[in-house]
Amino acid sequence: MKILDRYILTSFVSTLFTVFIILYFIFILQGIWLFITELAGKDLDFFIIVQFLLFYSPKMIPLVLPLSVLLASIMTFGNFAEHYEFAAMKASGISLKRAMQPLSIFIAVLALISFWFANDVIPKAEYRFINMRKEILQTKPAMAIAAGQFNDVGSINIKVDKKTGDKGQYLENVTMHIKSSSGYDNKAVIRSVDGELEADNASNILQLHLYDGNYYEDMVPKSTNDMKKKPFTKVAFEKYTMNIDLGALQDDGAQKEEIKNTYHMLNIKELTYTIDSLESALNRDKKSNTENLLVRYNNIYNPYDYNRKSKANQAEVKQEIGIDSTATESKIKVIDMKEDILKSFSTNNQERVLQSAIDYTNNILFSTESNDVSMLGQTKKINDHYLALYEKFVIAYSCFLMYFIGAPLGAIIRKGGLGLPIVFAVIIFILYHFVNTFGKKLAQEDGIQPILGAWAGALILTPLAIFLTLKATRDNGEVNFLGFFSTIGDFLKGLFSKKTQTTE
């Protein structure tokens, strides 16, 4: 390795390491702020707390690493430009493109390491983190409930305004949602003034005592009219005790797999297999729902099938719809072709036929809407798995993206240190993180394809990286960002105008 390459690599790596440690520490403190309040004062060993934080910290890598690469690139190349080291390189015939080559190889290696980390380390750490929380919940149940927010504890979702007591067992102003078996909606709601957690070390049952409250439960409507009224049951109580089974959370000294098949805990191979299984199940459900609807539709009498019925069945049909049994087939055909077919029924049967048709249609509509809700829940679950799959590739690509934004930007602004580089890095990273978050949320709700949601931030910033790299390597001087966005706007305007002309 040449002396210049070693110098550039050493400067960048030392800056990257320093920035990464600082940002990693900040992000961990920000991310575990809620957990710190729960860990403190629970008589837990220091080693357990360290393990808890260690298993939580790997999930911060996708946030910290791109920002660290971006900031280190701006600072390193900004220092080179500020101290005229680039001028000396150019005088020696070494261009910015040549100076970026050794770091490009290093970033490629870093991207491969980050991909391995996202595929192997983060899923295992997430698995251990979730299960460790479950183990702590078994010994210290109050830890699972953080004041001021909703907390998932088994099949319930609970929120308390305040916790008191030496173990946080006394609860104030409790709001609880009991989930249905599907997990997508709430079966019942309980609100109480006070509550108390009671656990027995010799038992796997956690008792939750609620005092002075009300129990609300939705009733299953029997018809569409009842569904519009949204009926529910309300019961007032002085004391209500819930038993929560913690047997599945107990370790018993063995490595039990209490949590399985959550997309954050799966690698690429497992995600691919799970996605294939979920899509197959979704297709089977869609096919089954379609067949059920067709069967229900075909059960309705189709007058055009009358001629294909036997004489005995024809007589039954005539009797059912209230037509004189002596009516000829030609009369039946005339009735079939009439617009107001209701007149073919007897007067006494017309009201009954209308009500039956309304009820039957409402039942089909209710069944269809229920199927749509179920299909949407399954689709969201599949989208979550796709996003987890694509994110493993996005973190590797983001290293390249931030490097090819930060390095030329540092050479252009000619400022190192922690002043102006931090401003540019924060602005770019906020844009990247905001677009990524927005894209993922939109993809989770099935608004766009998951691949677009996962790659949204990268797709938005890739043109900027190309633009800055070309500007810096061609020595075109200062960057005109307004000109950049104007060029992009003109390109899109021309693209859409061509499509409009072609359509016309």
Side-chain angles (χ1 to χ4, degrees):
M1 181 182 293
K2 296 183 178 180
I3 298 177
L4 179 61
D5 295 338
R6 189 185 303 114
Y7 172 70
I8 295 175
L9 185 61
T10 303
S11 300
F12 178 80
V13 171
S14 61
T15 305
L16 176 64
F17 180 78
T18 304
V19 170
F20 180 83
I21 294 299
I22 296 174
L23 293 179
Y24 199 52
F25 181 75
I26 294 174
F27 272 79
I28 290 176
L29 288 182
Q30 183 272 336
I32 64 173
W33 186 256
L34 295 176
F35 299 119
I36 287 293
T37 59
E38 299 299 320
L39 291 171
K42 303 299 180 181
D43 298 328
L44 296 176
D45 295 337
F46 177 76
F47 180 70
I48 294 178
I49 297 177
V50 172
Q51 274 189 318
F52 187 87
L53 301 181
L54 182 64
F55 293 146
Y56 176 79
S57 59
K59 66 171 65 177
M60 295 291 103
I61 293 293
L63 288 174
V64 177
L65 187 58
L67 180 58
S68 300
V69 172
L70 176 63
L71 185 55
S73 300
I74 298 177
M75 292 175 62
T76 301
F77 284 83
N79 279 328
F80 290 161
E82 186 178 9
H83 296 92
Y84 300 101
E85 292 175 284
F86 273 142
M89 295 179 192
K90 293 176 183 178
S92 302
I94 301 175
S95 63
L96 176 62
K97 182 179 179 181
R98 169 63 183 83
M100 292 174 62
Q101 285 182 0
L103 287 184
S104 300
I105 299 174
F106 173 78
I107 293 296
V109 176
L110 184 63
L112 293 176
I113 295 175
S114 64
F115 175 78
W116 165 80
F117 196 87
N119 189 46
D120 291 339
V121 178
I122 293 179
K124 293 178 181 178
E126 182 71 9
Y127 171 83
R128 297 295 299 274
F129 171 72
I130 295 296
N131 282 277
M132 190 171 187
R133 287 198 70 195
K134 295 293 184 180
E135 294 173 7
I136 296 175
L137 172 63
Q138 198 275 333
T139 56
K140 304 287 183 180
M143 288 192 59
I145 303 175
Q149 66 178 34
F150 280 100
N151 306 266
D152 283 322
V153 181
S155 61
I156 66 175
N157 193 276
I158 184 172
K159 176 185 176 181
V160 299
D161 287 349
K162 186 179 179 181
K163 295 194 308 179
T164 57
D166 56 346
K167 296 181 180 180
Q169 70 271 28
Y170 300 114
L171 313 177
E172 296 183 8
N173 195 8
V174 182
T175 301
M176 182 187 308
H177 300 278
I178 302 178
K179 302 176 185 177
S180 64
S181 57
S182 63
Y184 295 111
D185 52 3
N186 296 322
K187 176 182 178 182
V189 178
I190 302 176
R191 298 203 64 179
S192 68
V193 177
D194 299 303
E196 180 182 358
L197 290 170
E198 181 180 353
D200 185 359
N201 294 332
S203 174
N204 292 327
I205 300 300
L206 168 68
Q207 287 190 333
L208 175 59
H209 305 291
L210 301 175
Y211 304 97
D212 298 331
N214 295 283
Y215 180 97
Y216 307 89
E217 183 175 2
D218 292 333
M219 298 178 60
V220 178
K222 297 181 179 180
S223 64
T224 306
N225 293 331
D226 292 339
M227 184 172 60
K228 294 179 180 178
K229 297 178 182 179
K230 299 181 179 180
F232 66 93
T233 302
K234 176 182 178 181
V235 178
F237 59 84
E238 293 183 0
K239 181 179 179 180
Y240 182 81
T241 301
M242 291 188 63
N243 294 326
I244 303 174
D245 185 12
L246 300 178
L249 310 180
Q250 190 174 6
D251 193 4
D252 290 334
Q255 291 295 331
K256 292 184 178 180
E257 294 183 353
E258 295 88 354
I259 306 297
K260 296 181 180 179
N261 298 330
T262 57
Y263 51 90
H264 290 301
M265 304 177 189
L266 304 179
N267 56 32
I268 290 178
K269 183 178 179 180
E270 294 167 340
L271 282 170
T272 304
Y273 178 82
T274 305
I275 289 172
D276 183 67
S277 301
L278 292 174
E279 289 182 336
S280 299
L282 179 61
N283 292 332
R284 286 196 301 268
D285 290 345
K286 286 182 178 179
K287 184 178 179 180
S288 176
N289 293 336
T290 303
E291 291 176 351
N292 290 336
L293 288 176
L294 289 176
V295 168
R296 299 183 69 174
Y297 174 78
N298 290 332
N299 286 336
I300 303 175
Y301 169 64
N302 187 353
Y304 295 100
D305 290 339
Y306 174 83
N307 294 325
R308 292 198 290 268
K309 297 180 181 291
S310 63
K311 291 184 178 181
N313 291 335
Q314 290 177 0
E316 293 177 0
V317 170
K318 291 177 182 179
Q319 184 179 2
E320 179 182 353
I321 64 177
I323 299 177
D324 187 2
S325 60
T326 61
T328 62
E329 294 183 5
S330 60
K331 184 178 180 181
I332 296 294
K333 293 179 181 178
V334 172
I335 292 174
D336 292 341
M337 299 302 295
K338 284 184 177 180
E339 181 178 359
D340 191 5
I341 197 172
L342 188 62
K343 293 180 180 179
S344 63
F345 294 86
S346 63
T347 304
N348 295 331
N349 289 333
Q350 287 184 4
E351 184 177 352
R352 181 167 61 92
V353 169
L354 284 175
Q355 187 61 43
S356 299
I358 293 173
D359 293 341
Y360 196 86
T361 304
N362 288 335
N363 289 335
I364 293 179
L365 180 61
F366 183 77
S367 177
T368 304
E369 291 176 349
S370 300
N371 292 337
D372 289 342
V373 172
S374 177
M375 295 299 102
L376 180 60
Q378 295 184 50
T379 302
K380 290 181 179 180
K381 189 175 182 180
I382 294 174
N383 291 339
D384 287 334
H385 283 75
Y386 269 118
L387 288 172
L389 176 65
Y390 296 136
E391 283 175 0
K392 300 182 187 304
F393 298 94
V394 171
I395 184 176
Y397 178 76
S398 64
C399 295
F400 281 103
L401 179 64
M402 294 304 171
Y403 172 68
F404 283 101
I405 291 177
L409 185 60
I412 292 171
I413 64 176
R414 298 178 182 179
K415 288 290 183 180
L418 295 175
L420 192 60
I422 289 184
V423 176
F424 278 99
V426 169
I427 293 175
I428 294 172
F429 182 76
I430 288 177
L431 174 62
Y432 175 76
H433 185 62
F434 173 78
V435 174
N436 262 352
T437 303
F438 179 78
K440 291 175 184 177
K441 292 295 183 182
L442 197 59
Q444 286 175 343
E445 299 297 326
D446 204 33
I448 59 175
Q449 292 295 324
I451 188 171
L452 293 178
W455 287 88
L459 292 176
I460 293 296
L461 291 184
T462 296
L464 178 62
I466 297 174
F467 175 77
L468 291 175
T469 303
L470 292 177
K471 280 287 186 180
T473 54
R474 292 175 180 175
D475 294 330
N476 287 342
E478 297 182 355
V479 179
N480 185 0
F481 287 100
L482 294 178
F484 167 71
F485 291 112
S486 177
T487 303
I488 298 295
D490 293 339
F491 172 76
L492 294 177
K493 185 186 295 184
L495 184 62
F496 284 109
S497 63
K498 289 180 181 179
K499 288 185 178 180
T500 304
Q501 293 175 1
T502 304
T503 305
E504 293 176 355

